[in-house]
Amino acid sequence: MANIQIRKYRDEDSEAVKELFTSGMNEHLPSSFMHVMKQPLTQMLLMCTFCSLMASSKSFLLPVLAVTLLLAGVRQMIAYMFNKYIEASLKNDLNNIGETYLNREDSCFWVAESDGQVVGTVACLPAEDAPEFLELKRMSVCRSHRGMGIAKALCRTVADFTLDRGYPAVILYTSMVATDAQKLYEHMGYKKMRQFLLPEFFAKIINFTLIEYRLNLEEEK
């Protein structure tokens, strides 16, 4: 991990952090679309649309166009769901990282820096639904700097911080389509605790779930 420094966030990092978060989230759009396409409900809808139009119109072009429009609509809905989350995050905690993470007890935000460029981020704070644990958040590494051990170092930074503050565990939430992140967390000792549907209506329709992981630091000692 040559020329990589992990340090606390500074105000001048704001735009780089936001760009890294946004690009990282958008990387999940293709895999999310493929997940939706594998759902039985989606396949049934496409098949019924194609067959009904084929039978009623006696034309091959019309059902093909209709299915194409449906696929475009599904992709737009997925993009809308992601953009809504990105916009909310940029307006909330990422809009004032100092207030959210640096000025609060048992919270922090770190960046990984390479040659003056922010190439990774991670944060933690007491978990909203389980305040006895710290929650790892905003883990992201620039695509050009992956495979260099940065994500593992950021994970260890959070674990060390959690131990220093006397908390017994770190928890985190990641999406079902973030398979590389899941492999990383499991490699770092995190255990899958549960998997649950997002509350949004469209997320329920497409069976989009989050996974909760936990790292029990008392077992790591």
Side-chain angles (χ1 to χ4, degrees):
M1 206 172 70
N3 300 322
I4 303 296
Q5 175 193 5
I6 296 177
R7 58 167 175 79
K8 283 187 179 181
Y9 168 88
R10 297 194 291 254
D11 288 342
E12 56 264 33
D13 301 323
S14 176
E15 289 306 313
V17 167
K18 291 177 181 179
E19 289 176 9
L20 189 56
F21 166 74
T22 301
S23 62
M25 287 299 303
N26 285 328
E27 285 181 21
H28 297 309
L29 280 172
S31 56
S32 298
F33 180 73
M34 291 305 300
H35 164 73
V36 174
M37 294 306 300
K38 294 176 182 177
Q39 298 304 303
L41 182 62
T42 306
Q43 296 176 0
M44 183 184 302
L45 174 62
L46 294 174
M47 183 61 69
C48 289
T49 299
F50 183 87
C51 291
S52 61
L53 288 176
M54 189 72 177
S56 62
S57 68
K58 307 299 183 181
S59 167
F60 183 75
L61 182 60
L62 181 60
V64 168
L65 288 174
V67 168
T68 301
L69 288 174
L70 279 175
L71 292 175
V74 169
R75 195 183 189 288
Q76 283 298 107
M77 285 298 297
I78 296 171
Y80 171 78
M81 187 173 71
F82 271 78
N83 288 334
K84 185 177 178 182
Y85 175 73
I86 290 171
E87 289 174 6
S89 300
L90 294 177
K91 289 179 181 178
N92 296 323
D93 64 306
L94 292 179
N95 188 49
N96 196 337
I97 292 173
E99 180 64 29
T100 305
Y101 296 103
L102 300 182
N103 297 337
R104 294 186 180 181
E105 186 176 5
D106 298 334
S107 305
C108 198
F109 196 107
W110 298 268
V111 301
E113 186 179 65
S114 174
D115 298 324
Q117 176 188 0
V118 173
V119 297
T121 66
V122 75
C124 71
L125 75 177
E128 184 176 349
D129 297 327
E132 67 273 21
F133 305 135
L134 290 190
E135 180 181 349
L136 183 151
K137 296 174 69 70
R138 305 310 183 204
M139 167 70 80
S140 187
V141 175
C142 181
R143 180 186 289 272
S144 61
H145 286 72
R146 292 174 190 170
M148 301 171 61
I150 296 174
K152 293 177 183 177
L154 291 169
C155 279
R156 285 193 289 268
T157 298
V158 171
D160 292 343
F161 181 87
T162 303
L163 272 176
D164 289 343
R165 296 303 188 277
Y167 286 82
V170 183
I171 64 172
L172 63 86
Y173 301 92
T174 190
S175 73
M176 59 181 296
V177 297
T179 53
D180 288 342
Q182 293 170 35
K183 292 175 183 177
L184 165 70
Y185 297 134
E186 290 169 9
H187 177 78
M188 297 301 293
Y190 283 81
K191 306 297 183 185
K192 185 183 294 186
M193 305 304 295
R194 64 187 177 113
Q195 190 164 347
F196 57 96
L197 281 170
L198 285 172
E200 287 81 3
F201 177 72
F202 184 66
K204 290 180 179 179
I205 292 178
I206 64 175
N207 195 33
F208 196 90
T209 61
L210 290 183
I211 304 172
E212 178 184 331
Y213 280 95
R214 182 184 301 174
L215 176 66
N216 292 312
L217 296 171
E218 293 177 342
E219 297 177 2
E220 301 292 313
K221 292 181 180 179

